[in-house]
Amino acid sequence: MSKVYINAGAAISAQATFDGGFLENAVINRQDVFLPAIEPDYKAFISPVASRRMSKAVKMAIIASAQALNESGVSVPDAIITGTGAGCIIDSEKFLKAIIDNDEQFLTPTSFIQSTHNTVGAQIALGLNCKGYNFTYVNGAVSFESALLDAIMQIELQQANNVLVGGVDEMTPYFLELQQMIGHAKSDIATVGSVQSEGAGFFVLANTPTESTYAAIEDVTLYNKLSIAELPSFITGFLRKHHLEPSQIDLVVAGNNGDVFDDYYDKAAHLFRNYAITVQYKQLTGEYFTVSAFALWLASRIIKEQHIPEILKPHAVKHKAIKNVLIYNQYRGLDHSLILLKRV
């Protein structure tokens, strides 16, 4: 079976992560319940005429994928695989509003066509003239991990040599209000739920390493429902598949988001308390369905540069070589995922 390498990556988030830096100027916003993505200059990548017809998710994905491809030196990938939880929800809302406003008559199909979840992958492919495998996964909080699993299998089964894989989600005021009504998002900073956000992360995976390689992906696993008591055996079982013990993990990237389900992350951190550094990142990015794409960008950059950004460092951390990294994410006690990365 082929090894799978991350040869390039790009992220658009609530921090200035698109400018080539590595969270040097990151700030933690403790006042707002929604953290919008910091958008790059779209005109540098997309014509203004085309940009006006694109949702924010499509524009973020096109630009993040273009940066990743440029870094990898790959002009056209063999496959494009995308994960998204909410898709192009801005256009979905436009179409639903038009149905109501026009009494279900004389509707134009534009917003409906552009609202489908696979619009993102399709627009990337059209821009690249890529006629290869193109698939979109809509699987809640593991949408990105599902896409990542498919990308790994495409390479391992020798169906593709280079795969563009990513996750993207956008937020609207109405969708945020719905999330707040059901208690998934904070209405104010003191209420239950998580701080919401949006973003995009895209990567070029390949079967051979290059000078730009960040890390190797050893494995990805998903599990829908786990009790906190079952979590340690889930993690240790996953590691033992790769002949690893908790003592051999150097860094854990955990998705704590401040809601009442952070007990899962506390349990995971306790498992590695004597061995690994644990860092949290959602205080910088907020929560959205495919935020684990940012976690992969962060973890792979840490491995490549052997440096943890100061804003993420726990106190009194002793510097050591970072070889094995585990990413753990879950959403409201469900959709648990583990990603294991290794230094090349």
Side-chain angles (χ1 to χ4, degrees):
M1 302 294 275
S2 301
K3 275 271 192 180
V4 179
Y5 301 94
I6 302 173
N7 284 350
I12 296 174
S13 69
Q15 303 294 332
T17 50
F18 190 75
D19 58 3
F22 191 30
L23 300 175
E24 292 88 354
N25 300 312
V27 295
I28 299 177
N29 183 333
R30 301 191 187 278
Q31 287 77 46
D32 297 324
V33 296
F34 170 62
L35 307 178
I38 297 176
E39 300 176 82
D41 181 10
Y42 293 131
K43 296 191 296 293
F45 298 86
I46 309 168
S47 73
V49 174
S51 180
R52 283 198 298 269
R53 295 193 297 269
M54 294 179 180
S55 71
K56 190 174 186 179
V58 171
K59 289 187 283 190
M60 289 192 297
I62 287 175
I63 293 180
S65 61
Q67 188 182 58
L69 288 168
N70 182 62
E71 181 184 7
S72 71
V74 174
S75 55
V76 180
D78 300 317
I80 298 171
I81 307 175
T82 311
T84 181
C88 301
I89 195 167
I90 292 174
D91 285 298
S92 297
E93 289 183 6
K94 284 181 182 177
F95 184 70
L96 292 173
K97 186 176 185 300
I99 290 175
I100 296 169
D101 292 346
N102 294 283
D103 197 24
E104 302 182 20
Q105 301 181 68
F106 312 116
L107 299 172
T108 59
T110 305
S111 291
F112 174 74
I113 294 168
Q114 293 176 341
S115 73
T116 57
H117 291 69
N118 59 2
T119 298
V120 174
Q123 290 286 352
I124 294 172
L126 284 169
L128 297 173
N129 195 26
C130 176
K131 299 179 175 65
Y133 179 86
N134 195 315
F135 211 87
T136 299
Y137 286 87
V138 185
N139 199 13
V142 289
S143 297
F144 172 68
E145 289 87 343
S146 300
L148 190 61
L149 268 174
D150 190 356
I152 291 169
M153 288 191 290
Q154 293 294 318
I155 292 172
E156 288 184 337
L157 296 175
Q158 300 180 358
Q159 299 297 309
N161 295 322
N162 295 283
V163 178
L164 177 68
V165 60
V168 61
D169 275 295
E170 64 187 9
M171 179 60 74
T172 69
Y174 182 63
F175 188 54
L176 176 60
E177 184 180 346
L178 291 178
Q179 294 287 87
Q180 291 169 336
M181 288 172 61
I182 60 177
H184 290 192
K186 290 183 180 296
S187 298
D188 61 64
I189 209 65
T191 56
V192 297
S194 57
V195 172
Q196 298 292 295
S197 189
E198 58 191 359
F202 275 78
F203 308 87
V204 176
L205 307 188
N207 57 0
T208 55
T210 65
E211 290 183 359
S212 68
T213 297
Y214 287 29
I217 300 181
E218 292 292 293
D219 200 1
V220 180
T221 192
L222 316 176
Y223 209 95
N224 177 247
K225 190 174 183 179
L226 282 171
S227 69
I228 291 179
E230 293 171 317
L231 183 62
S233 60
F234 171 61
I235 294 174
T236 55
F238 173 72
L239 294 178
R240 283 172 186 154
K241 280 174 53 182
H242 301 279
H243 311 289
L244 293 171
E245 295 295 330
S247 60
Q248 294 172 281
I249 299 298
D250 305 301
L251 178 72
V252 176
V253 178
N256 302 61
N257 65 7
D259 68 13
V260 296
F261 297 92
D262 276 357
D263 287 351
Y264 281 93
Y265 297 114
D266 296 338
K267 190 74 170 180
H270 185 74
L271 184 65
F272 296 97
R273 66 192 184 282
N274 296 323
Y275 315 117
I277 301 167
T278 298
V279 298
Q280 304 168 11
Y281 62 93
K282 289 180 184 176
Q283 71 274 22
L284 302 179
T285 65
E287 179 71 85
Y288 53 97
F289 289 116
T290 51
V291 70
S292 49
F294 179 90
L296 182 62
W297 174 84
L298 173 65
S300 58
R301 283 284 298 264
I302 288 174
I303 291 175
K304 180 180 182 180
E305 300 180 20
Q306 290 294 293
H307 167 70
I308 301 173
E310 290 295 326
I311 198 166
L312 297 177
K313 278 185 179 178
H315 295 298
V317 167
K318 294 181 179 179
H319 178 76
K320 65 174 182 176
I322 300 170
K323 181 179 179 183
N324 297 311
V325 175
L326 183 69
I327 302 171
Y328 170 48
N329 192 56
Q330 55 85 22
Y331 184 65
R332 298 185 62 81
L334 299 173
D335 291 338
H336 302 262
S337 67
L338 296 171
I339 304 173
L340 180 62
L341 304 180
K342 192 170 187 177
R343 187 180 183 184
V344 177

PDB file of all heavy atoms in Angstrom, residues 50-88:
ATOM      1  N   ALA A  50     -17.050  36.827 -12.093  1.00  0.00           N
ATOM      2  CA  ALA A  50     -17.342  35.480 -11.593  1.00  0.00           C
ATOM      3  C   ALA A  50     -17.562  35.478 -10.093  1.00  0.00           C
ATOM      4  O   ALA A  50     -18.414  34.754  -9.575  1.00  0.00           O
ATOM      5  CB  ALA A  50     -16.194  34.540 -11.954  1.00  0.00           C
ATOM      6  N   SER A  51     -16.815  36.314  -9.395  1.00  0.00           N
ATOM      7  CA  SER A  51     -16.899  36.347  -7.934  1.00  0.00           C
ATOM      8  C   SER A  51     -18.287  36.748  -7.444  1.00  0.00           C
ATOM      9  O   SER A  51     -18.762  36.239  -6.422  1.00  0.00           O
ATOM     10  CB  SER A  51     -15.853  37.325  -7.383  1.00  0.00           C
ATOM     11  OG  SER A  51     -15.912  37.387  -5.984  1.00  0.00           O
ATOM     12  N   ARG A  52     -18.960  37.652  -8.182  1.00  0.00           N
ATOM     13  CA  ARG A  52     -20.286  38.121  -7.760  1.00  0.00           C
ATOM     14  C   ARG A  52     -21.309  36.998  -7.742  1.00  0.00           C
ATOM     15  O   ARG A  52     -22.306  37.078  -7.038  1.00  0.00           O
ATOM     16  CB  ARG A  52     -20.760  39.244  -8.682  1.00  0.00           C
ATOM     17  CG  ARG A  52     -20.119  40.582  -8.400  1.00  0.00           C
ATOM     18  CD  ARG A  52     -20.925  41.718  -9.020  1.00  0.00           C
ATOM     19  NE  ARG A  52     -20.983  41.599 -10.474  1.00  0.00           N
ATOM     20  CZ  ARG A  52     -20.099  42.158 -11.297  1.00  0.00           C
ATOM     21  NH1 ARG A  52     -19.077  42.853 -10.795  1.00  0.00           N
ATOM     22  NH2 ARG A  52     -20.212  42.027 -12.593  1.00  0.00           N
ATOM     23  N   ARG A  53     -21.076  35.952  -8.532  1.00  0.00           N
ATOM     24  CA  ARG A  53     -22.033  34.846  -8.607  1.00  0.00           C
ATOM     25  C   ARG A  53     -21.671  33.701  -7.656  1.00  0.00           C
ATOM     26  O   ARG A  53     -22.328  32.666  -7.663  1.00  0.00           O
ATOM     27  CB  ARG A  53     -22.104  34.316 -10.040  1.00  0.00           C
ATOM     28  CG  ARG A  53     -22.654  35.321 -11.039  1.00  0.00           C
ATOM     29  CD  ARG A  53     -22.990  34.646 -12.358  1.00  0.00           C
ATOM     30  NE  ARG A  53     -21.807  34.080 -12.989  1.00  0.00           N
ATOM     31  CZ  ARG A  53     -21.031  34.724 -13.850  1.00  0.00           C
ATOM     32  NH1 ARG A  53     -21.302  35.976 -14.176  1.00  0.00           N
ATOM     33  NH2 ARG A  53     -19.979  34.142 -14.393  1.00  0.00           N
ATOM     34  N   MET A  54     -20.615  33.869  -6.883  1.00  0.00           N
ATOM     35  CA  MET A  54     -20.150  32.795  -6.009  1.00  0.00           C
ATOM     36  C   MET A  54     -20.464  33.089  -4.553  1.00  0.00           C
ATOM     37  O   MET A  54     -20.367  34.231  -4.100  1.00  0.00           O
ATOM     38  CB  MET A  54     -18.635  32.606  -6.158  1.00  0.00           C
ATOM     39  CG  MET A  54     -18.194  32.109  -7.508  1.00  0.00           C
ATOM     40  SD  MET A  54     -16.385  31.967  -7.573  1.00  0.00           S
ATOM     41  CE  MET A  54     -16.175  31.366  -9.249  1.00  0.00           C
ATOM     42  N   SER A  55     -20.815  32.058  -3.820  1.00  0.00           N
ATOM     43  CA  SER A  55     -21.015  32.217  -2.385  1.00  0.00           C
ATOM     44  C   SER A  55     -19.660  32.320  -1.695  1.00  0.00           C
ATOM     45  O   SER A  55     -18.611  32.037  -2.281  1.00  0.00           O
ATOM     46  CB  SER A  55     -21.787  31.020  -1.820  1.00  0.00           C
ATOM     47  OG  SER A  55     -20.960  29.862  -1.816  1.00  0.00           O
ATOM     48  N   LYS A  56     -19.690  32.706  -0.434  1.00  0.00           N
ATOM     49  CA  LYS A  56     -18.458  32.848   0.338  1.00  0.00           C
ATOM     50  C   LYS A  56     -17.723  31.516   0.440  1.00  0.00           C
ATOM     51  O   LYS A  56     -16.493  31.465   0.330  1.00  0.00           O
ATOM     52  CB  LYS A  56     -18.795  33.369   1.731  1.00  0.00           C
ATOM     53  CG  LYS A  56     -17.612  33.789   2.564  1.00  0.00           C
ATOM     54  CD  LYS A  56     -18.083  34.414   3.870  1.00  0.00           C
ATOM     55  CE  LYS A  56     -16.940  34.975   4.683  1.00  0.00           C
ATOM     56  NZ  LYS A  56     -17.406  35.608   5.942  1.00  0.00           N
ATOM     57  N   ALA A  57     -18.464  30.423   0.616  1.00  0.00           N
ATOM     58  CA  ALA A  57     -17.835  29.101   0.731  1.00  0.00           C
ATOM     59  C   ALA A  57     -17.075  28.749  -0.533  1.00  0.00           C
ATOM     60  O   ALA A  57     -15.949  28.236  -0.479  1.00  0.00           O
ATOM     61  CB  ALA A  57     -18.891  28.032   1.040  1.00  0.00           C
ATOM     62  N   VAL A  58     -17.686  29.000  -1.682  1.00  0.00           N
ATOM     63  CA  VAL A  58     -17.036  28.680  -2.956  1.00  0.00           C
ATOM     64  C   VAL A  58     -15.770  29.510  -3.122  1.00  0.00           C
ATOM     65  O   VAL A  58     -14.709  28.989  -3.505  1.00  0.00           O
ATOM     66  CB  VAL A  58     -18.000  28.919  -4.131  1.00  0.00           C
ATOM     67  CG1 VAL A  58     -17.257  28.811  -5.470  1.00  0.00           C
ATOM     68  CG2 VAL A  58     -19.145  27.917  -4.093  1.00  0.00           C
ATOM     69  N   LYS A  59     -15.847  30.792  -2.811  1.00  0.00           N
ATOM     70  CA  LYS A  59     -14.669  31.663  -2.975  1.00  0.00           C
ATOM     71  C   LYS A  59     -13.546  31.260  -2.028  1.00  0.00           C
ATOM     72  O   LYS A  59     -12.377  31.200  -2.434  1.00  0.00           O
ATOM     73  CB  LYS A  59     -15.075  33.119  -2.763  1.00  0.00           C
ATOM     74  CG  LYS A  59     -15.931  33.675  -3.884  1.00  0.00           C
ATOM     75  CD  LYS A  59     -16.185  35.164  -3.754  1.00  0.00           C
ATOM     76  CE  LYS A  59     -17.220  35.466  -2.710  1.00  0.00           C
ATOM     77  NZ  LYS A  59     -17.639  36.886  -2.744  1.00  0.00           N
ATOM     78  N   MET A  60     -13.885  30.969  -0.775  1.00  0.00           N
ATOM     79  CA  MET A  60     -12.844  30.542   0.164  1.00  0.00           C
ATOM     80  C   MET A  60     -12.189  29.251  -0.307  1.00  0.00           C
ATOM     81  O   MET A  60     -10.959  29.083  -0.231  1.00  0.00           O
ATOM     82  CB  MET A  60     -13.440  30.353   1.567  1.00  0.00           C
ATOM     83  CG  MET A  60     -13.828  31.628   2.267  1.00  0.00           C
ATOM     84  SD  MET A  60     -14.195  31.411   4.040  1.00  0.00           S
ATOM     85  CE  MET A  60     -15.610  30.311   3.970  1.00  0.00           C
ATOM     86  N   ALA A  61     -12.999  28.306  -0.792  1.00  0.00           N
ATOM     87  CA  ALA A  61     -12.466  27.011  -1.231  1.00  0.00           C
ATOM     88  C   ALA A  61     -11.578  27.157  -2.461  1.00  0.00           C
ATOM     89  O   ALA A  61     -10.513  26.536  -2.555  1.00  0.00           O
ATOM     90  CB  ALA A  61     -13.620  26.057  -1.515  1.00  0.00           C
ATOM     91  N   ILE A  62     -12.008  27.970  -3.410  1.00  0.00           N
ATOM     92  CA  ILE A  62     -11.211  28.159  -4.634  1.00  0.00           C
ATOM     93  C   ILE A  62      -9.845  28.741  -4.298  1.00  0.00           C
ATOM     94  O   ILE A  62      -8.807  28.289  -4.804  1.00  0.00           O
ATOM     95  CB  ILE A  62     -11.966  29.056  -5.633  1.00  0.00           C
ATOM     96  CG1 ILE A  62     -13.120  28.279  -6.260  1.00  0.00           C
ATOM     97  CG2 ILE A  62     -11.024  29.580  -6.717  1.00  0.00           C
ATOM     98  CD1 ILE A  62     -13.992  29.116  -7.182  1.00  0.00           C
ATOM     99  N   ILE A  63      -9.826  29.733  -3.428  1.00  0.00           N
ATOM    100  CA  ILE A  63      -8.564  30.392  -3.115  1.00  0.00           C
ATOM    101  C   ILE A  63      -7.662  29.506  -2.261  1.00  0.00           C
ATOM    102  O   ILE A  63      -6.452  29.422  -2.495  1.00  0.00           O
ATOM    103  CB  ILE A  63      -8.833  31.746  -2.437  1.00  0.00           C
ATOM    104  CG1 ILE A  63      -9.497  32.686  -3.441  1.00  0.00           C
ATOM    105  CG2 ILE A  63      -7.558  32.363  -1.896  1.00  0.00           C
ATOM    106  CD1 ILE A  63      -9.814  34.047  -2.915  1.00  0.00           C
ATOM    107  N   ALA A  64      -8.233  28.824  -1.259  1.00  0.00           N
ATOM    108  CA  ALA A  64      -7.417  27.927  -0.435  1.00  0.00           C
ATOM    109  C   ALA A  64      -6.853  26.781  -1.270  1.00  0.00           C
ATOM    110  O   ALA A  64      -5.688  26.394  -1.112  1.00  0.00           O
ATOM    111  CB  ALA A  64      -8.244  27.379   0.723  1.00  0.00           C
ATOM    112  N   SER A  65      -7.659  26.237  -2.173  1.00  0.00           N
ATOM    113  CA  SER A  65      -7.173  25.149  -3.019  1.00  0.00           C
ATOM    114  C   SER A  65      -6.105  25.646  -3.986  1.00  0.00           C
ATOM    115  O   SER A  65      -5.120  24.945  -4.256  1.00  0.00           O
ATOM    116  CB  SER A  65      -8.330  24.507  -3.780  1.00  0.00           C
ATOM    117  OG  SER A  65      -8.978  25.434  -4.630  1.00  0.00           O
ATOM    118  N   ALA A  66      -6.271  26.868  -4.503  1.00  0.00           N
ATOM    119  CA  ALA A  66      -5.268  27.421  -5.416  1.00  0.00           C
ATOM    120  C   ALA A  66      -3.931  27.611  -4.716  1.00  0.00           C
ATOM    121  O   ALA A  66      -2.865  27.306  -5.283  1.00  0.00           O
ATOM    122  CB  ALA A  66      -5.759  28.762  -5.975  1.00  0.00           C
ATOM    123  N   GLN A  67      -3.971  28.083  -3.476  1.00  0.00           N
ATOM    124  CA  GLN A  67      -2.725  28.259  -2.735  1.00  0.00           C
ATOM    125  C   GLN A  67      -2.055  26.913  -2.462  1.00  0.00           C
ATOM    126  O   GLN A  67      -0.834  26.782  -2.590  1.00  0.00           O
ATOM    127  CB  GLN A  67      -2.975  28.996  -1.433  1.00  0.00           C
ATOM    128  CG  GLN A  67      -1.672  29.372  -0.708  1.00  0.00           C
ATOM    129  CD  GLN A  67      -1.918  30.062   0.608  1.00  0.00           C
ATOM    130  OE1 GLN A  67      -2.567  29.521   1.484  1.00  0.00           O
ATOM    131  NE2 GLN A  67      -1.390  31.273   0.758  1.00  0.00           N
ATOM    132  N   ALA A  68      -2.845  25.910  -2.075  1.00  0.00           N
ATOM    133  CA  ALA A  68      -2.276  24.587  -1.805  1.00  0.00           C
ATOM    134  C   ALA A  68      -1.661  23.980  -3.063  1.00  0.00           C
ATOM    135  O   ALA A  68      -0.555  23.424  -3.021  1.00  0.00           O
ATOM    136  CB  ALA A  68      -3.355  23.668  -1.233  1.00  0.00           C
ATOM    137  N   LEU A  69      -2.360  24.084  -4.172  1.00  0.00           N
ATOM    138  CA  LEU A  69      -1.838  23.534  -5.426  1.00  0.00           C
ATOM    139  C   LEU A  69      -0.563  24.256  -5.854  1.00  0.00           C
ATOM    140  O   LEU A  69       0.399  23.631  -6.318  1.00  0.00           O
ATOM    141  CB  LEU A  69      -2.893  23.635  -6.530  1.00  0.00           C
ATOM    142  CG  LEU A  69      -4.079  22.672  -6.411  1.00  0.00           C
ATOM    143  CD1 LEU A  69      -5.189  23.065  -7.371  1.00  0.00           C
ATOM    144  CD2 LEU A  69      -3.639  21.231  -6.662  1.00  0.00           C
ATOM    145  N   ASN A  70      -0.546  25.568  -5.702  1.00  0.00           N
ATOM    146  CA  ASN A  70       0.638  26.341  -6.063  1.00  0.00           C
ATOM    147  C   ASN A  70       1.845  25.937  -5.220  1.00  0.00           C
ATOM    148  O   ASN A  70       2.962  25.780  -5.737  1.00  0.00           O
ATOM    149  CB  ASN A  70       0.353  27.835  -5.883  1.00  0.00           C
ATOM    150  CG  ASN A  70       1.528  28.697  -6.292  1.00  0.00           C
ATOM    151  OD1 ASN A  70       1.948  28.693  -7.447  1.00  0.00           O
ATOM    152  ND2 ASN A  70       2.076  29.439  -5.337  1.00  0.00           N
ATOM    153  N   GLU A  71       1.629  25.725  -3.933  1.00  0.00           N
ATOM    154  CA  GLU A  71       2.719  25.307  -3.057  1.00  0.00           C
ATOM    155  C   GLU A  71       3.239  23.927  -3.421  1.00  0.00           C
ATOM    156  O   GLU A  71       4.441  23.655  -3.348  1.00  0.00           O
ATOM    157  CB  GLU A  71       2.250  25.315  -1.598  1.00  0.00           C
ATOM    158  CG  GLU A  71       3.336  24.921  -0.606  1.00  0.00           C
ATOM    159  CD  GLU A  71       2.840  24.839   0.819  1.00  0.00           C
ATOM    160  OE1 GLU A  71       1.609  24.964   1.037  1.00  0.00           O
ATOM    161  OE2 GLU A  71       3.671  24.628   1.723  1.00  0.00           O
ATOM    162  N   SER A  72       2.341  23.039  -3.823  1.00  0.00           N
ATOM    163  CA  SER A  72       2.736  21.655  -4.128  1.00  0.00           C
ATOM    164  C   SER A  72       3.377  21.521  -5.499  1.00  0.00           C
ATOM    165  O   SER A  72       4.056  20.526  -5.772  1.00  0.00           O
ATOM    166  CB  SER A  72       1.510  20.742  -4.059  1.00  0.00           C
ATOM    167  OG  SER A  72       0.633  20.990  -5.154  1.00  0.00           O
ATOM    168  N   GLY A  73       3.136  22.495  -6.375  1.00  0.00           N
ATOM    169  CA  GLY A  73       3.645  22.388  -7.741  1.00  0.00           C
ATOM    170  C   GLY A  73       2.775  21.550  -8.642  1.00  0.00           C
ATOM    171  O   GLY A  73       3.147  21.259  -9.788  1.00  0.00           O
ATOM    172  N   VAL A  74       1.601  21.164  -8.162  1.00  0.00           N
ATOM    173  CA  VAL A  74       0.653  20.373  -8.961  1.00  0.00           C
ATOM    174  C   VAL A  74      -0.328  21.338  -9.613  1.00  0.00           C
ATOM    175  O   VAL A  74      -0.990  22.122  -8.928  1.00  0.00           O
ATOM    176  CB  VAL A  74      -0.108  19.359  -8.075  1.00  0.00           C
ATOM    177  CG1 VAL A  74      -1.188  18.639  -8.883  1.00  0.00           C
ATOM    178  CG2 VAL A  74       0.860  18.358  -7.476  1.00  0.00           C
ATOM    179  N   SER A  75      -0.437  21.297 -10.936  1.00  0.00           N
ATOM    180  CA  SER A  75      -1.347  22.209 -11.627  1.00  0.00           C
ATOM    181  C   SER A  75      -2.767  21.671 -11.661  1.00  0.00           C
ATOM    182  O   SER A  75      -3.725  22.410 -11.418  1.00  0.00           O
ATOM    183  CB  SER A  75      -0.845  22.484 -13.053  1.00  0.00           C
ATOM    184  OG  SER A  75      -0.668  21.262 -13.756  1.00  0.00           O
ATOM    185  N   VAL A  76      -2.909  20.377 -11.951  1.00  0.00           N
ATOM    186  CA  VAL A  76      -4.229  19.744 -11.990  1.00  0.00           C
ATOM    187  C   VAL A  76      -4.155  18.430 -11.217  1.00  0.00           C
ATOM    188  O   VAL A  76      -3.402  17.528 -11.600  1.00  0.00           O
ATOM    189  CB  VAL A  76      -4.694  19.471 -13.433  1.00  0.00           C
ATOM    190  CG1 VAL A  76      -6.082  18.820 -13.426  1.00  0.00           C
ATOM    191  CG2 VAL A  76      -4.720  20.755 -14.250  1.00  0.00           C
ATOM    192  N   PRO A  77      -4.890  18.298 -10.127  1.00  0.00           N
ATOM    193  CA  PRO A  77      -4.846  17.054  -9.350  1.00  0.00           C
ATOM    194  C   PRO A  77      -5.586  15.927 -10.062  1.00  0.00           C
ATOM    195  O   PRO A  77      -6.385  16.165 -10.976  1.00  0.00           O
ATOM    196  CB  PRO A  77      -5.559  17.436  -8.047  1.00  0.00           C
ATOM    197  CG  PRO A  77      -6.520  18.502  -8.463  1.00  0.00           C
ATOM    198  CD  PRO A  77      -5.830  19.285  -9.553  1.00  0.00           C
ATOM    199  N   ASP A  78      -5.319  14.715  -9.635  1.00  0.00           N
ATOM    200  CA  ASP A  78      -6.016  13.558 -10.199  1.00  0.00           C
ATOM    201  C   ASP A  78      -7.436  13.436  -9.663  1.00  0.00           C
ATOM    202  O   ASP A  78      -8.282  12.792 -10.284  1.00  0.00           O
ATOM    203  CB  ASP A  78      -5.246  12.266  -9.881  1.00  0.00           C
ATOM    204  CG  ASP A  78      -3.847  12.285 -10.444  1.00  0.00           C
ATOM    205  OD1 ASP A  78      -3.685  12.716 -11.596  1.00  0.00           O
ATOM    206  OD2 ASP A  78      -2.911  11.879  -9.728  1.00  0.00           O
ATOM    207  N   ALA A  79      -7.685  14.005  -8.492  1.00  0.00           N
ATOM    208  CA  ALA A  79      -9.012  13.931  -7.877  1.00  0.00           C
ATOM    209  C   ALA A  79      -9.229  15.147  -6.991  1.00  0.00           C
ATOM    210  O   ALA A  79      -8.274  15.725  -6.466  1.00  0.00           O
ATOM    211  CB  ALA A  79      -9.149  12.649  -7.060  1.00  0.00           C
ATOM    212  N   ILE A  80     -10.491  15.533  -6.843  1.00  0.00           N
ATOM    213  CA  ILE A  80     -10.880  16.625  -5.951  1.00  0.00           C
ATOM    214  C   ILE A  80     -11.953  16.083  -5.010  1.00  0.00           C
ATOM    215  O   ILE A  80     -13.009  15.628  -5.465  1.00  0.00           O
ATOM    216  CB  ILE A  80     -11.433  17.831  -6.742  1.00  0.00           C
ATOM    217  CG1 ILE A  80     -10.355  18.406  -7.677  1.00  0.00           C
ATOM    218  CG2 ILE A  80     -11.947  18.915  -5.783  1.00  0.00           C
ATOM    219  CD1 ILE A  80     -10.889  19.455  -8.639  1.00  0.00           C
ATOM    220  N   ILE A  81     -11.689  16.131  -3.716  1.00  0.00           N
ATOM    221  CA  ILE A  81     -12.626  15.580  -2.735  1.00  0.00           C
ATOM    222  C   ILE A  81     -12.873  16.646  -1.668  1.00  0.00           C
ATOM    223  O   ILE A  81     -11.927  17.166  -1.071  1.00  0.00           O
ATOM    224  CB  ILE A  81     -12.083  14.289  -2.102  1.00  0.00           C
ATOM    225  CG1 ILE A  81     -11.686  13.293  -3.202  1.00  0.00           C
ATOM    226  CG2 ILE A  81     -13.121  13.664  -1.181  1.00  0.00           C
ATOM    227  CD1 ILE A  81     -11.035  12.028  -2.690  1.00  0.00           C
ATOM    228  N   THR A  82     -14.134  16.950  -1.438  1.00  0.00           N
ATOM    229  CA  THR A  82     -14.504  18.056  -0.559  1.00  0.00           C
ATOM    230  C   THR A  82     -15.431  17.577   0.547  1.00  0.00           C
ATOM    231  O   THR A  82     -16.288  16.717   0.323  1.00  0.00           O
ATOM    232  CB  THR A  82     -15.234  19.159  -1.370  1.00  0.00           C
ATOM    233  OG1 THR A  82     -14.470  19.463  -2.530  1.00  0.00           O
ATOM    234  CG2 THR A  82     -15.415  20.412  -0.533  1.00  0.00           C
ATOM    235  N   GLY A  83     -15.264  18.142   1.726  1.00  0.00           N
ATOM    236  CA  GLY A  83     -16.191  17.909   2.824  1.00  0.00           C
ATOM    237  C   GLY A  83     -16.828  19.220   3.235  1.00  0.00           C
ATOM    238  O   GLY A  83     -16.158  20.256   3.285  1.00  0.00           O
ATOM    239  N   THR A  84     -18.122  19.205   3.499  1.00  0.00           N
ATOM    240  CA  THR A  84     -18.816  20.402   3.973  1.00  0.00           C
ATOM    241  C   THR A  84     -20.040  19.986   4.773  1.00  0.00           C
ATOM    242  O   THR A  84     -20.733  19.040   4.409  1.00  0.00           O
ATOM    243  CB  THR A  84     -19.228  21.325   2.808  1.00  0.00           C
ATOM    244  OG1 THR A  84     -19.880  22.484   3.335  1.00  0.00           O
ATOM    245  CG2 THR A  84     -20.138  20.634   1.820  1.00  0.00           C
ATOM    246  N   GLY A  85     -20.276  20.686   5.869  1.00  0.00           N
ATOM    247  CA  GLY A  85     -21.420  20.347   6.689  1.00  0.00           C
ATOM    248  C   GLY A  85     -22.685  21.068   6.267  1.00  0.00           C
ATOM    249  O   GLY A  85     -23.761  20.481   6.218  1.00  0.00           O
ATOM    250  N   ALA A  86     -22.550  22.340   5.928  1.00  0.00           N
ATOM    251  CA  ALA A  86     -23.718  23.152   5.575  1.00  0.00           C
ATOM    252  C   ALA A  86     -23.761  23.525   4.099  1.00  0.00           C
ATOM    253  O   ALA A  86     -24.777  24.025   3.618  1.00  0.00           O
ATOM    254  CB  ALA A  86     -23.741  24.428   6.417  1.00  0.00           C
ATOM    255  N   GLY A  87     -22.671  23.293   3.366  1.00  0.00           N
ATOM    256  CA  GLY A  87     -22.642  23.626   1.954  1.00  0.00           C
ATOM    257  C   GLY A  87     -22.747  25.121   1.717  1.00  0.00           C
ATOM    258  O   GLY A  87     -22.343  25.940   2.537  1.00  0.00           O
ATOM    259  N   CYS A  88     -23.326  25.467   0.579  1.00  0.00           N
ATOM    260  CA  CYS A  88     -23.470  26.887   0.213  1.00  0.00           C
ATOM    261  C   CYS A  88     -24.786  27.399   0.789  1.00  0.00           C
ATOM    262  O   CYS A  88     -25.767  27.643   0.070  1.00  0.00           O
ATOM    263  CB  CYS A  88     -23.433  27.030  -1.295  1.00  0.00           C
ATOM    264  SG  CYS A  88     -21.901  26.406  -2.034  1.00  0.00           S
TER     265      CYS A  88
END
